[in-house]
Amino acid sequence: MKTPRGLTLLQTQRWAGTLTAAFGFLACAVSGEMGPAMTALFPLAVAGSAVAGRRFHGRMQWGWTVLLVGALLVLGVQVFAGQIDIILAAALFAELLCIHRLWHRRTERDELLLLLLALLLLCAGAALSAEVTFGFAFLAFAVSGTWALALTHLRFAIEEGRGPAGSAALLNSRRVATPALLGGLAALAFFGIAGAALIFLTFPRVTIGGLRRASRPAPIAGLGDRVDLSRHGTVADDPRVILRVRLDPAPRGEPRDLAMHWRARTLSQWTGHGWQSPDGGLIPVLRLPQRPPRGRGVPSVLSADIEVVGQFTDGVVFTPEGWPLGVDFRQPGTPRPAARRLYRNAAGDLFYQPVDSGDVRYSVVADTDEPDPARVRGRGQRYPSWVEADLAVPASLDARVRALAERLGAGKDPADAAAAVERWLATALRYTRDLPGDVADPIADFLFVRRAGHCELFSSAMVLMLRSLGIPARNVTGYFGGRRTDAGYYAVRAGDAHSWVEVYFPDAGYVRFDPTPASERGGRQEGFQARMVLLWDSLQQRWRAFVVDYDLVSQAQAMRRIGQLLHETGRRLAGKDGGTGRLRRVIAAAGGVLVTASVIAWLRRLRGRARKGQERELTADQRRAAALWRVGRRLLRSAGIEIAVGTTAGELARRVPAAAGLVRAYAAARWGGRRLPPRVVRATLRELRSGLRASAGRDI
Amino acid sequence: MTPAWKRRLSFTRMGRWYTGLTIGIGLAATNTGNNLLFLVLGLLLASIIVSGILSEQSLRGVRVERRLPSVATAGQPALIGLQARNGKRRAPSFSLEIRERGGDVAGHGFLVLLPAAQSAEVAYRFVPQRRGLHRFEQIEVATRAPFGLFEKSRPMDAPAELVVFPREVPARPLVGRTLARDGERPEDRIGLGLEVHSLRDHRPGEDARSIHWRSSARAGRLIAVDREQERRKRVCVVLDQRPLRGEALERAVEHAAALVSRELDGGAEVSLALAGAFLPAGSGEAQRYAALRLLALLGAGGDGLGAPEPDAEGSVLQVRG
């Protein structure tokens, strides 16, 4: 007899328990807060327990006890000293307990404790992590946990019900934990998940708000305050999402790619090989400086809801194109005061504090009307003293740069000069990211040797050329662009890093110029990896929007929406709407299709069951015998011999001697286990036909 | 009559932990407002609901019948069968524990799976510790499926009675007046015994086995033999239970039962005379059953009852406490 493949019930139950513990741990580990040692420890412990767990069961208990008590003490001291928070400590200790249980599991109590510890790890993961990866770990936990709970119950119910001797055969059978059983339990898990979603949606979100775990402050590195032009990076290929932006009003036509400069900070001090931020500290901002009057009507206001991914913020506030009118760190719909405050430096760049490792969300309102060069023409060159830093020309500036600037802008109005330089750079030079390493003078090399470069070289060259003409200008860094996502926001990616120029005009302030060719601004993230990164980010955002940030307001909105939907459906079905006829026809058609499909499925199932019942157990010879019997009966009927219902083969043989051979062959093969090759079938039928012919006319 | 919808619900050890943890997570979620904890809470609550639905599905449509043994003797194991039938057409039932509830007998059987529209039988061993009537009241079908968190059970009325015979003990040897009339006695009339009653001529058509060949040879014709009718040994076991109480009564009853069995095994006709009751003489298994049943149900006391009246035609085996 063929031995079935697969795992025994006992093995499957143990693996389901291990998997559940592993997914509980994973839910914690994705937060990244458990540390590399504790993260690596768990998989090693699982592997070890699978290999040698049984051998160590019940041994060295004192060692385990000392280890666990020691770990508890260490974690307690760390919590007391404020080095780690209590949730993380609890997660780490639960991991150790889980490992201990994985190495000591024999009784029902051991198995159930393991599952409870896995559940505790999942809960700790919920407190530690808000990422979508937790969602995947949660789903996997739901499935494996269902397997583990059901199989553990089954295993110990069998042991209890049948005793150790009676249960051994069943527990070691490979016919119990079949894929069908595991599939059924997985389907059960999905019912559980659907129920969880329903409960999640409707459970009243009345929260007390105590003991909420805050993100741990940590200094991070992100947008640099320094640019070195003699080096070449690969930042333009980086598809990681930096900003998530929702614009109000939405851009006209909702284009796939947004053409927007996202301003970060000013780099106005030339270092010889690049730029750095101006000196000076930050001052708190209560109100943003007002825009110089322009004699225009109502400003065109744009509200940008910006979310900056934690590791890229560096405390900088990104602003869209235009003059920022206000920055608000309060979460929409939340009465809590903002946890962050706004600051600015001498150059007018905006920052926030405190800076932490988490994502930052704020909204910026900006007046999007930007003066074009024509409107700032004729404002003279009497500049205030505080723009002197933007007039500084490095002594080492190549004479050819100055000469080129004079050729393009000497004698012209500053606005025209700036436009001319911008135009010349954008048209005469080529954009490339393929640059050699260190060069002595990156600007001269860019303008006169290679005549090609990236956005920082374009903007740097323009700044230095304008400054050599006595026009205050500064280099500005930030991002350009934004790719629309399915989740309804624009994603600005690391590869969209960009650099441009701001030129000062009296009574107008700084006006943006961008000498980089328009088609080359921003990044080139079009590959598979870039699409996947965007998809993942979109998924993450949906997770956040629908799960992590689901609150009382969202709940009320969801309930109202469901109510409206039901009301609308009821109204349409009741015929109080013009489009009801079509809706009814659609519902009737759908219902008809459903009923027909159900009937067909039912009939097929019945037929399949009948066929299975008849044929599952039959051998080929038995099936041949059944066919021989059917043909024989037909021949007899056609010969005028009526066979009453219920006539047995033996009775037939006695009544019709010609059919004796048929009956013998049929009975021997169908019930006697004899072989019935096709040639015997043919010979039997021949014999029957000739017998019937011979006895034709006889009254049977 | 217990209604079909009646259910009993209790926590298992895992269920108590699970519920405690669910409440704890619910409090933590409410306190912190952490939506992921709400999600975990949702999963735990949904699992409880799914567990409730499936356990109900397992219990519904299951009918159980009890199969009692024909004979049960105190101190000896007896198997009691519980036949379960799943009346549902499609859905199987899982992890069913079938057990006695109420009554004098405790026992249970376990079915891992009871397929749809099928029957299965489990049995449990029951070792009665006393003689007499044992009452059964209800059968309870319980399941912890699918997760072992809760035990849901459904009681069903299944009243029955089982008479447990007295414990089997070796019969003590007896002495005294009663043994004088032991043995089988001829009755001086034609019958089916072994002894010869008379000889006569063989009649045509008569069974050849009745021919007495030696006499026929001597007489020169066929002579038939008529046999003597014999009466079987007749014993009356007498037990006056009126002065007996407690252990003394039990010992006396067990002794009486042992005597009845010994005499019946020896082929005697046995009658049983008790205070207030008399079982006429008889033999065979039916007589044994009737006598042991009478002894099984014999109660203490009965001071108002008349003294036992032994069978006048049988040897008397008097049992004393």
Side-chain angles (χ1 to χ4, degrees), chain B residues 242-271:
Chain B
R242 289 174 299 173
L244 301 176
R245 295 285 185 280
E247 198 59 27
L249 174 66
E250 293 306 315
R251 296 287 82 78
V253 168
E254 286 166 8
H255 187 204
L259 287 177
V260 167
S261 290
R262 188 188 69 185
E263 295 304 322
L264 285 172
D265 289 341
E269 287 184 341
V270 179
S271 61

PDB file of all heavy atoms in Angstrom, chain B residues 242-271:
ATOM      1  N   ARG B 242     -34.569  -9.618  56.588  1.00  0.00           N
ATOM      2  CA  ARG B 242     -35.147  -8.660  57.530  1.00  0.00           C
ATOM      3  C   ARG B 242     -34.180  -8.213  58.623  1.00  0.00           C
ATOM      4  O   ARG B 242     -34.101  -7.016  58.908  1.00  0.00           O
ATOM      5  CB  ARG B 242     -36.411  -9.248  58.146  1.00  0.00           C
ATOM      6  CG  ARG B 242     -37.552  -9.322  57.148  1.00  0.00           C
ATOM      7  CD  ARG B 242     -38.738 -10.021  57.722  1.00  0.00           C
ATOM      8  NE  ARG B 242     -38.416 -11.399  58.086  1.00  0.00           N
ATOM      9  CZ  ARG B 242     -39.245 -12.214  58.731  1.00  0.00           C
ATOM     10  NH1 ARG B 242     -40.442 -11.797  59.077  1.00  0.00           N
ATOM     11  NH2 ARG B 242     -38.885 -13.450  59.018  1.00  0.00           N
ATOM     12  N   PRO B 243     -33.430  -9.142  59.211  1.00  0.00           N
ATOM     13  CA  PRO B 243     -32.545  -8.658  60.280  1.00  0.00           C
ATOM     14  C   PRO B 243     -31.228  -8.085  59.758  1.00  0.00           C
ATOM     15  O   PRO B 243     -30.409  -7.628  60.541  1.00  0.00           O
ATOM     16  CB  PRO B 243     -32.281  -9.929  61.092  1.00  0.00           C
ATOM     17  CG  PRO B 243     -32.397 -11.042  60.110  1.00  0.00           C
ATOM     18  CD  PRO B 243     -33.384 -10.622  59.089  1.00  0.00           C
ATOM     19  N   LEU B 244     -31.023  -8.104  58.448  1.00  0.00           N
ATOM     20  CA  LEU B 244     -29.706  -7.738  57.926  1.00  0.00           C
ATOM     21  C   LEU B 244     -29.661  -6.279  57.497  1.00  0.00           C
ATOM     22  O   LEU B 244     -30.630  -5.734  56.963  1.00  0.00           O
ATOM     23  CB  LEU B 244     -29.359  -8.641  56.737  1.00  0.00           C
ATOM     24  CG  LEU B 244     -29.328 -10.143  57.050  1.00  0.00           C
ATOM     25  CD1 LEU B 244     -29.072 -10.925  55.786  1.00  0.00           C
ATOM     26  CD2 LEU B 244     -28.259 -10.446  58.092  1.00  0.00           C
ATOM     27  N   ARG B 245     -28.487  -5.693  57.700  1.00  0.00           N
ATOM     28  CA  ARG B 245     -28.282  -4.300  57.306  1.00  0.00           C
ATOM     29  C   ARG B 245     -26.876  -4.159  56.704  1.00  0.00           C
ATOM     30  O   ARG B 245     -25.970  -4.912  57.072  1.00  0.00           O
ATOM     31  CB  ARG B 245     -28.353  -3.351  58.514  1.00  0.00           C
ATOM     32  CG  ARG B 245     -29.720  -3.276  59.186  1.00  0.00           C
ATOM     33  CD  ARG B 245     -30.701  -2.456  58.337  1.00  0.00           C
ATOM     34  NE  ARG B 245     -31.962  -2.282  59.011  1.00  0.00           N
ATOM     35  CZ  ARG B 245     -32.941  -3.206  59.065  1.00  0.00           C
ATOM     36  NH1 ARG B 245     -32.770  -4.397  58.489  1.00  0.00           N
ATOM     37  NH2 ARG B 245     -34.070  -2.952  59.683  1.00  0.00           N
ATOM     38  N   GLY B 246     -26.722  -3.211  55.888  1.00  0.00           N
ATOM     39  CA  GLY B 246     -25.406  -2.799  55.408  1.00  0.00           C
ATOM     40  C   GLY B 246     -24.571  -3.935  54.831  1.00  0.00           C
ATOM     41  O   GLY B 246     -25.024  -4.706  53.969  1.00  0.00           O
ATOM     42  N   GLU B 247     -23.366  -4.020  55.333  1.00  0.00           N
ATOM     43  CA  GLU B 247     -22.405  -4.952  54.767  1.00  0.00           C
ATOM     44  C   GLU B 247     -22.879  -6.399  54.933  1.00  0.00           C
ATOM     45  O   GLU B 247     -22.676  -7.234  54.054  1.00  0.00           O
ATOM     46  CB  GLU B 247     -21.051  -4.738  55.467  1.00  0.00           C
ATOM     47  CG  GLU B 247     -19.858  -5.311  54.742  1.00  0.00           C
ATOM     48  CD  GLU B 247     -19.687  -4.749  53.349  1.00  0.00           C
ATOM     49  OE1 GLU B 247     -20.122  -3.584  53.084  1.00  0.00           O
ATOM     50  OE2 GLU B 247     -19.176  -5.479  52.486  1.00  0.00           O
ATOM     51  N   ALA B 248     -23.530  -6.671  56.058  1.00  0.00           N
ATOM     52  CA  ALA B 248     -24.014  -8.032  56.296  1.00  0.00           C
ATOM     53  C   ALA B 248     -25.038  -8.427  55.245  1.00  0.00           C
ATOM     54  O   ALA B 248     -25.021  -9.554  54.712  1.00  0.00           O
ATOM     55  CB  ALA B 248     -24.633  -8.111  57.698  1.00  0.00           C
ATOM     56  N   LEU B 249     -25.903  -7.488  54.917  1.00  0.00           N
ATOM     57  CA  LEU B 249     -26.907  -7.763  53.889  1.00  0.00           C
ATOM     58  C   LEU B 249     -26.224  -8.008  52.537  1.00  0.00           C
ATOM     59  O   LEU B 249     -26.571  -8.948  51.811  1.00  0.00           O
ATOM     60  CB  LEU B 249     -27.883  -6.586  53.788  1.00  0.00           C
ATOM     61  CG  LEU B 249     -28.905  -6.681  52.661  1.00  0.00           C
ATOM     62  CD1 LEU B 249     -29.871  -7.849  52.917  1.00  0.00           C
ATOM     63  CD2 LEU B 249     -29.705  -5.386  52.509  1.00  0.00           C
ATOM     64  N   GLU B 250     -25.224  -7.165  52.233  1.00  0.00           N
ATOM     65  CA  GLU B 250     -24.542  -7.317  50.949  1.00  0.00           C
ATOM     66  C   GLU B 250     -23.861  -8.685  50.854  1.00  0.00           C
ATOM     67  O   GLU B 250     -23.936  -9.368  49.842  1.00  0.00           O
ATOM     68  CB  GLU B 250     -23.499  -6.203  50.754  1.00  0.00           C
ATOM     69  CG  GLU B 250     -24.094  -4.819  50.612  1.00  0.00           C
ATOM     70  CD  GLU B 250     -25.130  -4.748  49.502  1.00  0.00           C
ATOM     71  OE1 GLU B 250     -24.890  -5.267  48.408  1.00  0.00           O
ATOM     72  OE2 GLU B 250     -26.234  -4.205  49.777  1.00  0.00           O
ATOM     73  N   ARG B 251     -23.195  -9.059  51.950  1.00  0.00           N
ATOM     74  CA  ARG B 251     -22.515 -10.352  51.933  1.00  0.00           C
ATOM     75  C   ARG B 251     -23.536 -11.487  51.720  1.00  0.00           C
ATOM     76  O   ARG B 251     -23.290 -12.433  50.966  1.00  0.00           O
ATOM     77  CB  ARG B 251     -21.775 -10.597  53.263  1.00  0.00           C
ATOM     78  CG  ARG B 251     -20.640  -9.624  53.571  1.00  0.00           C
ATOM     79  CD  ARG B 251     -19.427  -9.892  52.694  1.00  0.00           C
ATOM     80  NE  ARG B 251     -19.570  -9.290  51.379  1.00  0.00           N
ATOM     81  CZ  ARG B 251     -19.395  -7.999  51.097  1.00  0.00           C
ATOM     82  NH1 ARG B 251     -19.045  -7.162  52.047  1.00  0.00           N
ATOM     83  NH2 ARG B 251     -19.560  -7.542  49.877  1.00  0.00           N
ATOM     84  N   ALA B 252     -24.676 -11.378  52.423  1.00  0.00           N
ATOM     85  CA  ALA B 252     -25.703 -12.420  52.321  1.00  0.00           C
ATOM     86  C   ALA B 252     -26.264 -12.504  50.909  1.00  0.00           C
ATOM     87  O   ALA B 252     -26.451 -13.588  50.348  1.00  0.00           O
ATOM     88  CB  ALA B 252     -26.824 -12.129  53.324  1.00  0.00           C
ATOM     89  N   VAL B 253     -26.512 -11.330  50.322  1.00  0.00           N
ATOM     90  CA  VAL B 253     -27.052 -11.306  48.952  1.00  0.00           C
ATOM     91  C   VAL B 253     -26.045 -11.910  47.982  1.00  0.00           C
ATOM     92  O   VAL B 253     -26.403 -12.704  47.096  1.00  0.00           O
ATOM     93  CB  VAL B 253     -27.409  -9.854  48.550  1.00  0.00           C
ATOM     94  CG1 VAL B 253     -27.683  -9.761  47.053  1.00  0.00           C
ATOM     95  CG2 VAL B 253     -28.625  -9.368  49.323  1.00  0.00           C
ATOM     96  N   GLU B 254     -24.767 -11.523  48.145  1.00  0.00           N
ATOM     97  CA  GLU B 254     -23.738 -12.065  47.244  1.00  0.00           C
ATOM     98  C   GLU B 254     -23.646 -13.590  47.417  1.00  0.00           C
ATOM     99  O   GLU B 254     -23.498 -14.331  46.442  1.00  0.00           O
ATOM    100  CB  GLU B 254     -22.383 -11.420  47.550  1.00  0.00           C
ATOM    101  CG  GLU B 254     -22.302  -9.993  47.045  1.00  0.00           C
ATOM    102  CD  GLU B 254     -21.116  -9.236  47.621  1.00  0.00           C
ATOM    103  OE1 GLU B 254     -20.271  -9.864  48.297  1.00  0.00           O
ATOM    104  OE2 GLU B 254     -21.060  -8.010  47.415  1.00  0.00           O
ATOM    105  N   HIS B 255     -23.756 -14.052  48.654  1.00  0.00           N
ATOM    106  CA  HIS B 255     -23.700 -15.480  48.903  1.00  0.00           C
ATOM    107  C   HIS B 255     -24.879 -16.190  48.251  1.00  0.00           C
ATOM    108  O   HIS B 255     -24.734 -17.250  47.615  1.00  0.00           O
ATOM    109  CB  HIS B 255     -23.677 -15.727  50.422  1.00  0.00           C
ATOM    110  CG  HIS B 255     -23.455 -17.153  50.785  1.00  0.00           C
ATOM    111  ND1 HIS B 255     -23.862 -17.689  51.983  1.00  0.00           N
ATOM    112  CD2 HIS B 255     -22.886 -18.173  50.109  1.00  0.00           C
ATOM    113  CE1 HIS B 255     -23.564 -18.960  52.002  1.00  0.00           C
ATOM    114  NE2 HIS B 255     -22.965 -19.291  50.875  1.00  0.00           N
ATOM    115  N   ALA B 256     -26.059 -15.574  48.418  1.00  0.00           N
ATOM    116  CA  ALA B 256     -27.261 -16.171  47.816  1.00  0.00           C
ATOM    117  C   ALA B 256     -27.121 -16.247  46.305  1.00  0.00           C
ATOM    118  O   ALA B 256     -27.461 -17.266  45.680  1.00  0.00           O
ATOM    119  CB  ALA B 256     -28.493 -15.360  48.207  1.00  0.00           C
ATOM    120  N   ALA B 257     -26.604 -15.190  45.725  1.00  0.00           N
ATOM    121  CA  ALA B 257     -26.428 -15.169  44.269  1.00  0.00           C
ATOM    122  C   ALA B 257     -25.450 -16.246  43.832  1.00  0.00           C
ATOM    123  O   ALA B 257     -25.648 -16.919  42.808  1.00  0.00           O
ATOM    124  CB  ALA B 257     -25.933 -13.791  43.828  1.00  0.00           C
ATOM    125  N   ALA B 258     -24.388 -16.400  44.642  1.00  0.00           N
ATOM    126  CA  ALA B 258     -23.408 -17.418  44.300  1.00  0.00           C
ATOM    127  C   ALA B 258     -24.031 -18.803  44.354  1.00  0.00           C
ATOM    128  O   ALA B 258     -23.760 -19.662  43.494  1.00  0.00           O
ATOM    129  CB  ALA B 258     -22.223 -17.321  45.265  1.00  0.00           C
ATOM    130  N   LEU B 259     -24.901 -19.035  45.363  1.00  0.00           N
ATOM    131  CA  LEU B 259     -25.569 -20.332  45.482  1.00  0.00           C
ATOM    132  C   LEU B 259     -26.493 -20.587  44.296  1.00  0.00           C
ATOM    133  O   LEU B 259     -26.517 -21.676  43.720  1.00  0.00           O
ATOM    134  CB  LEU B 259     -26.365 -20.387  46.789  1.00  0.00           C
ATOM    135  CG  LEU B 259     -25.534 -20.514  48.070  1.00  0.00           C
ATOM    136  CD1 LEU B 259     -26.450 -20.477  49.282  1.00  0.00           C
ATOM    137  CD2 LEU B 259     -24.733 -21.813  48.058  1.00  0.00           C
ATOM    138  N   VAL B 260     -27.252 -19.559  43.959  1.00  0.00           N
ATOM    139  CA  VAL B 260     -28.175 -19.705  42.826  1.00  0.00           C
ATOM    140  C   VAL B 260     -27.395 -20.084  41.571  1.00  0.00           C
ATOM    141  O   VAL B 260     -27.756 -21.031  40.857  1.00  0.00           O
ATOM    142  CB  VAL B 260     -28.955 -18.385  42.605  1.00  0.00           C
ATOM    143  CG1 VAL B 260     -29.671 -18.411  41.267  1.00  0.00           C
ATOM    144  CG2 VAL B 260     -29.942 -18.164  43.738  1.00  0.00           C
ATOM    145  N   SER B 261     -26.301 -19.379  41.337  1.00  0.00           N
ATOM    146  CA  SER B 261     -25.529 -19.648  40.133  1.00  0.00           C
ATOM    147  C   SER B 261     -24.925 -21.043  40.164  1.00  0.00           C
ATOM    148  O   SER B 261     -24.931 -21.763  39.170  1.00  0.00           O
ATOM    149  CB  SER B 261     -24.406 -18.614  39.995  1.00  0.00           C
ATOM    150  OG  SER B 261     -24.968 -17.381  39.676  1.00  0.00           O
ATOM    151  N   ARG B 262     -24.395 -21.411  41.343  1.00  0.00           N
ATOM    152  CA  ARG B 262     -23.764 -22.733  41.431  1.00  0.00           C
ATOM    153  C   ARG B 262     -24.774 -23.844  41.162  1.00  0.00           C
ATOM    154  O   ARG B 262     -24.512 -24.781  40.409  1.00  0.00           O
ATOM    155  CB  ARG B 262     -23.145 -22.912  42.816  1.00  0.00           C
ATOM    156  CG  ARG B 262     -22.310 -24.169  42.945  1.00  0.00           C
ATOM    157  CD  ARG B 262     -21.888 -24.402  44.367  1.00  0.00           C
ATOM    158  NE  ARG B 262     -23.023 -24.751  45.202  1.00  0.00           N
ATOM    159  CZ  ARG B 262     -22.957 -24.919  46.528  1.00  0.00           C
ATOM    160  NH1 ARG B 262     -21.817 -24.713  47.148  1.00  0.00           N
ATOM    161  NH2 ARG B 262     -24.021 -25.254  47.237  1.00  0.00           N
ATOM    162  N   GLU B 263     -25.958 -23.722  41.762  1.00  0.00           N
ATOM    163  CA  GLU B 263     -26.957 -24.772  41.608  1.00  0.00           C
ATOM    164  C   GLU B 263     -27.481 -24.820  40.179  1.00  0.00           C
ATOM    165  O   GLU B 263     -27.697 -25.887  39.616  1.00  0.00           O
ATOM    166  CB  GLU B 263     -28.118 -24.568  42.593  1.00  0.00           C
ATOM    167  CG  GLU B 263     -27.704 -24.697  44.053  1.00  0.00           C
ATOM    168  CD  GLU B 263     -27.044 -26.042  44.351  1.00  0.00           C
ATOM    169  OE1 GLU B 263     -27.483 -27.073  43.782  1.00  0.00           O
ATOM    170  OE2 GLU B 263     -26.065 -26.074  45.125  1.00  0.00           O
ATOM    171  N   LEU B 264     -27.674 -23.665  39.601  1.00  0.00           N
ATOM    172  CA  LEU B 264     -28.146 -23.648  38.207  1.00  0.00           C
ATOM    173  C   LEU B 264     -27.084 -24.235  37.284  1.00  0.00           C
ATOM    174  O   LEU B 264     -27.404 -24.979  36.349  1.00  0.00           O
ATOM    175  CB  LEU B 264     -28.485 -22.217  37.767  1.00  0.00           C
ATOM    176  CG  LEU B 264     -29.786 -21.654  38.336  1.00  0.00           C
ATOM    177  CD1 LEU B 264     -29.915 -20.169  37.994  1.00  0.00           C
ATOM    178  CD2 LEU B 264     -30.992 -22.406  37.782  1.00  0.00           C
ATOM    179  N   ASP B 265     -25.819 -23.898  37.555  1.00  0.00           N
ATOM    180  CA  ASP B 265     -24.750 -24.479  36.750  1.00  0.00           C
ATOM    181  C   ASP B 265     -24.711 -26.001  36.908  1.00  0.00           C
ATOM    182  O   ASP B 265     -24.335 -26.718  35.990  1.00  0.00           O
ATOM    183  CB  ASP B 265     -23.388 -23.896  37.166  1.00  0.00           C
ATOM    184  CG  ASP B 265     -23.252 -22.448  36.743  1.00  0.00           C
ATOM    185  OD1 ASP B 265     -24.021 -22.026  35.848  1.00  0.00           O
ATOM    186  OD2 ASP B 265     -22.397 -21.724  37.296  1.00  0.00           O
ATOM    187  N   GLY B 266     -25.111 -26.487  38.114  1.00  0.00           N
ATOM    188  CA  GLY B 266     -25.118 -27.918  38.342  1.00  0.00           C
ATOM    189  C   GLY B 266     -26.331 -28.626  37.779  1.00  0.00           C
ATOM    190  O   GLY B 266     -26.497 -29.822  37.948  1.00  0.00           O
ATOM    191  N   GLY B 267     -27.221 -27.880  37.155  1.00  0.00           N
ATOM    192  CA  GLY B 267     -28.370 -28.478  36.487  1.00  0.00           C
ATOM    193  C   GLY B 267     -29.604 -28.559  37.356  1.00  0.00           C
ATOM    194  O   GLY B 267     -30.616 -29.134  36.948  1.00  0.00           O
ATOM    195  N   ALA B 268     -29.569 -28.003  38.542  1.00  0.00           N
ATOM    196  CA  ALA B 268     -30.717 -28.100  39.445  1.00  0.00           C
ATOM    197  C   ALA B 268     -31.780 -27.081  39.097  1.00  0.00           C
ATOM    198  O   ALA B 268     -31.502 -26.093  38.410  1.00  0.00           O
ATOM    199  CB  ALA B 268     -30.240 -27.890  40.872  1.00  0.00           C
ATOM    200  N   GLU B 269     -32.952 -27.359  39.544  1.00  0.00           N
ATOM    201  CA  GLU B 269     -34.013 -26.355  39.476  1.00  0.00           C
ATOM    202  C   GLU B 269     -33.919 -25.548  40.758  1.00  0.00           C
ATOM    203  O   GLU B 269     -33.856 -26.120  41.860  1.00  0.00           O
ATOM    204  CB  GLU B 269     -35.383 -27.019  39.385  1.00  0.00           C
ATOM    205  CG  GLU B 269     -35.636 -27.629  38.029  1.00  0.00           C
ATOM    206  CD  GLU B 269     -37.040 -28.195  37.926  1.00  0.00           C
ATOM    207  OE1 GLU B 269     -37.650 -28.421  38.985  1.00  0.00           O
ATOM    208  OE2 GLU B 269     -37.507 -28.392  36.811  1.00  0.00           O
ATOM    209  N   VAL B 270     -33.883 -24.272  40.600  1.00  0.00           N
ATOM    210  CA  VAL B 270     -33.636 -23.426  41.766  1.00  0.00           C
ATOM    211  C   VAL B 270     -34.810 -22.503  41.979  1.00  0.00           C
ATOM    212  O   VAL B 270     -35.311 -21.880  41.031  1.00  0.00           O
ATOM    213  CB  VAL B 270     -32.348 -22.603  41.564  1.00  0.00           C
ATOM    214  CG1 VAL B 270     -32.102 -21.703  42.763  1.00  0.00           C
ATOM    215  CG2 VAL B 270     -31.157 -23.517  41.359  1.00  0.00           C
ATOM    216  N   SER B 271     -35.234 -22.427  43.222  1.00  0.00           N
ATOM    217  CA  SER B 271     -36.228 -21.424  43.598  1.00  0.00           C
ATOM    218  C   SER B 271     -35.568 -20.491  44.612  1.00  0.00           C
ATOM    219  O   SER B 271     -34.542 -20.837  45.205  1.00  0.00           O
ATOM    220  CB  SER B 271     -37.474 -22.088  44.180  1.00  0.00           C
ATOM    221  OG  SER B 271     -37.113 -22.806  45.329  1.00  0.00           O
TER     222      SER B 271
END
